[in-house]
Amino acid sequence: MSVKEEARKVLPALTTYIGALFNDGFVSRLLDVFLRASTSENDNFEHEIARLCRSMRRTGSASWALPLATAAVTVDLVAEVLASSLRTRLPAGFEERLTLAADGGPVEEYLSDAASAIRKLDSEVVPGYAELPMAPWEVSLAFPEVIDFKYWVETDEFETLDECLWAGFDSMHPGECASRATALMAQAQEALLLFPDPDGLGSTLSQSIPWVSRNVLREIVQKGIEHLADLHGVSGR
């Protein structure tokens, strides 16, 4: 069998699953970002691309799985699909969402602009949080364990905040202490360091974490240290 014949044999199998590229993962998340930018009064296309690149850079596993240069090429490939016969294989609704994000403009050009913006930011220092505030979707990526800890902060099952926080750490013990408990402590500490001003902390995080305050975050860190020291023999000093 020739190379061309082999390629023809494989191609239908590949095109059968091409929807996976668009329904989930980076392309889908990028489209969500585009749609947010198109409907926001305060943010725009460039801001959301910068936030996307900033979020990918801040997480080592994300950068390992999908470097920004690879992300840009992925966007270019999507544009090529739109200009090819494979366009008919796109999942239902994808083009409509992309057209909405592009505000009715040429979608291929819109994607090319996005790829160029990602490549540009890959060679530059991305804006800091003082220059470009963290968006709610970034908060969800940066502090998932803090967000998920809401029950133990807001519950009326216990009389004091200390009891609530102890119960929260006890609920993770022992199987999730090495993963979730340490991640919770790290994220709480990171929020304290990123946003030393109480007003800045509240204005940035309160939409996603209504109960957030420097006092509660400090207590989470402290209770976590005590839990690890008392039950795992891990000293905080």
Side-chain angles (χ1 to χ4, degrees), residues 51-116:
R51 287 186 172 111
L52 178 75
C53 294
R54 181 168 69 187
S55 296
M56 292 175 69
R57 274 191 181 178
R58 76 187 297 278
T59 307
S61 56
S63 296
W64 181 88
L66 188 66
L68 287 177
T70 306
V73 171
T74 302
V75 178
D76 284 327
L77 288 173
V78 174
E80 288 189 18
V81 167
L82 288 166
S84 74
S85 60
L86 291 177
R87 190 174 194 141
T88 58
R89 309 293 301 192
L90 292 173
F94 178 82
E95 267 197 84
E96 289 81 357
R97 294 177 72 214
L98 183 56
T99 299
L100 181 62
D103 198 22
V107 291
E108 293 90 343
E109 182 179 331
Y110 187 75
L111 290 171
S112 295
D113 289 344
S116 297

Side-chain angles (χ1 to χ4, degrees), residues 142-193:
F143 308 112
E145 291 296 341
V146 175
I147 292 172
D148 286 348
F149 205 62
K150 63 176 292 186
Y151 172 80
W152 300 106
V153 177
E154 297 179 337
T155 182
D156 56 5
E157 186 178 349
F158 304 96
E159 293 185 1
T160 67
L161 177 63
D162 277 5
E163 291 176 310
C164 293
L165 300 186
W166 279 123
F169 278 101
D170 286 344
S171 73
M172 302 180 198
H173 183 79
E176 296 179 316
C177 289
S179 55
R180 293 192 59 206
T182 54
L184 170 65
M185 295 163 60
Q187 290 168 23
Q189 187 72 278
E190 182 177 6
L192 289 167
L193 292 171

